[in-house]
Amino acid sequence: MQIPSHNHEQLVLRQDSASGLSAVIAIHSTRLGPAAGGCRHWVYENTEAAVCDALRLAEGMTYKNALADIPFGGGKSVILGRPEQPLTQQQLEVFGGWIEELNGAYITAEDVGMRVADMRLIARKTRFVSGLGLAGVGGDPSPSTALGVYNGMVTAVRSKFGVAQLDGLRVAVQGLGNVGFSLCELLARAGVKLVVADLNPDRVAAVVSRFGAQSCASEEILQQDVEVIAPCALGGVLTAESVAQLSAGVVAGSANNQLASPEVADLLRRRSILYAPDYVINAGGVISIAHEYLGKNDPSWVAERIGGIASRLSWIFTESENAQCSTETVARSLANDRLAQGKCVALRGVA
Ligand code: NAD
């Protein structure tokens, strides 16, 4: 297997033949604290694809956590899934044991394909897990992620179209899993006309019946005639080809690593499509995870940080205009400044 060159602190590949578990744990940076980032359970073409995904996702977590004002570095894990095979209790416990062996360098939680019940099984073997939802605190991070995306979308729409409300706008949501579903709920309540797609027809049916959404084929969702595209499935959906076909003016969604490559951010800018950098707008979930992990029981701590997502985006949009560069460039440079200072610091005048 060819391991891509990377600048991560640790890359762990593990296999357990007894349970049939294979996983990758990538720790990008512990500069601001232990590396926190969810665990993804997905079917990959091969181990190399899983390693590449883990490396990219872990790096994104470093920027996300630095900007979200939480004392954590960036890491991520992926479990190589097999089609139609849910993880067993034995596998989740083995995975928990591997995390424990890292002695706190990495903290896991839910991501694509993982649920609170999985985290509770992982927690039987490690202390370094969050998203457990014990004693009514924390748990599934998706509603917090969706809330941050919703607030960020309102900010992006205001900046792009000069309107303060989403009422009457058309939004296309790609992916109706934990975050996509919660986001549709918020958008429907705000009077948005929804167009939705998911590979899973049951999820589409649920959103169509609950929120009066219109559905379309998965391969057509990005080309819908809408004001906003919300990618809430997997990464890499914004390519030179897909951006050329967008008719939306705003891209604001939860999916990690939406840009297939960094240059796509410039293409978006050239087409005057306002892109809300994914690791800024989707930080609500990790904020909830951090709150739970740090043993807090203070809803205002979470609310203040999720509120900060919209103001941070607003600052990034303005800077991008002033500096005539992409929103991604501004966000990355802000994150790097924070990393260079070695601490989470508030922006001047921004939460
Ligand atoms: P999930 O597993 O609950 O849902 C993902 C959904 O996307 C599934 O329903 C799947 O069928 C669908 N999907 C996959 N490929 C698709 C495609 N090509 N077209 C249409 N649908 C497709 O995952 P989630 O927790 O909702 O996370 C969604 C995205 O948001 C992921 O990229 C994740 O990394 C990111 N994210 C999630 C959180 C969180 O709190 N869960 C936080 C930050 C970022």
Side-chain angles (χ1 to χ4, degrees):
M1 186 187 60
Q2 186 89 21
I3 304 238
S5 69
H6 61 85
N7 58 351
H8 292 56
E9 289 178 14
Q10 264 197 79
L11 176 63
V12 180
L13 276 76
R14 300 283 308 248
Q15 266 185 324
D16 178 61
S17 49
S19 65
L21 182 71
S22 296
V24 181
I25 303 170
I27 296 178
H28 178 252
S29 167
T30 53
R31 179 143 173 82
L32 298 184
C39 173
R40 176 170 290 192
H41 178 219
W42 194 248
V43 179
Y44 290 91
E45 226 167 82
N46 49 41
T47 309
E48 198 170 340
V51 169
C52 289
D53 205 25
L55 289 171
R56 267 200 89 188
L57 289 165
E59 183 171 357
M61 289 309 301
T62 297
Y63 307 130
K64 187 187 305 191
N65 294 342
L67 290 177
D69 196 21
I70 55 176
F72 293 102
K76 200 89 177 183
S77 52
V78 304
I79 292 181
L80 286 84
R82 303 206 182 125
E84 316 302 331
Q85 273 193 26
L87 290 168
T88 63
Q89 173 167 342
Q90 186 191 7
Q91 288 174 323
L92 288 161
E93 290 186 4
V94 167
F95 182 68
W98 291 343
I99 292 175
E100 185 63 25
E101 284 175 34
L102 293 170
N103 206 23
Y106 169 66
I107 298 158
T108 199
E110 294 90 343
D111 190 54
V112 172
M114 299 294 274
R115 304 282 177 269
V116 172
D118 301 320
M119 295 306 127
R120 291 186 180 173
L121 289 173
I122 290 170
R124 292 165 84 127
K125 298 291 173 188
T126 185
R127 301 156 283 168
F128 307 115
V129 53
S130 188
L132 304 168
L134 302 174
V137 178
D140 178 9
S142 312
S144 297
T145 304
L147 180 60
V149 171
Y150 175 83
N151 292 341
M153 194 185 289
V154 171
T155 303
V157 159
R158 189 185 309 119
S159 179
K160 172 71 189 170
F161 302 116
V163 294
Q165 307 289 335
L166 299 182
D167 188 16
L169 292 187
R170 294 159 300 174
V171 177
V173 182
Q174 179 190 45
L176 306 171
N178 291 329
V179 182
F181 188 90
S182 294
L183 180 63
C184 285
E185 190 167 20
L186 294 171
L187 293 173
R189 220 183 284 152
V192 162
K193 294 176 188 144
L194 290 167
V195 188
V196 299
D198 196 291
L199 300 179
N200 181 337
D202 294 342
R203 296 194 172 178
V204 175
V207 170
V208 167
S209 73
R210 286 278 295 272
F211 310 125
Q214 191 190 316
S215 66
C216 73
S218 287
E219 55 281 9
E220 289 168 8
I221 189 76
L222 297 180
Q223 296 106 52
Q224 293 300 304
D225 181 19
V226 291
E227 280 79 30
V228 182
I229 293 282
C232 296
L234 297 186
V237 292
L238 299 173
T239 62
E241 296 72 36
S242 69
V243 166
Q245 293 176 20
L246 290 181
S247 67
V250 167
V251 176
S254 76
N256 282 308
N257 295 341
Q258 291 171 33
L259 302 171
S261 61
E263 309 79 63
V264 176
D266 297 314
L267 300 179
L268 285 159
R269 187 179 138 67
R270 254 178 260 144
R271 289 212 54 214
S272 299
I273 297 168
L274 186 59
Y275 168 64
D278 47 21
Y279 51 83
V280 182
I281 196 170
N282 72 11
V286 78
I287 289 169
S288 165
I289 290 294
H291 170 261
E292 178 182 334
Y293 187 78
L294 294 170
K296 296 182 185 291
N297 189 359
D298 177 6
S300 68
W301 190 93
V302 175
E304 193 183 306
R305 281 163 182 77
I306 292 183
I309 292 173
S311 38
R312 198 165 297 118
L313 280 172
S314 177
W315 187 88
I316 289 168
F317 296 154
T318 306
E319 277 297 297
S320 145
E321 274 305 302
N322 291 346
Q324 295 287 297
C325 63
S326 74
T327 52
E328 173 69 17
T329 302
V330 175
R332 183 67 64 93
S333 121
L334 182 59
N336 281 330
D337 284 353
R338 290 184 172 199
L339 286 163
Q341 290 175 45
K343 58 181 179 174
C344 299
V345 287
L347 280 175
R348 285 181 308 278
V350 173

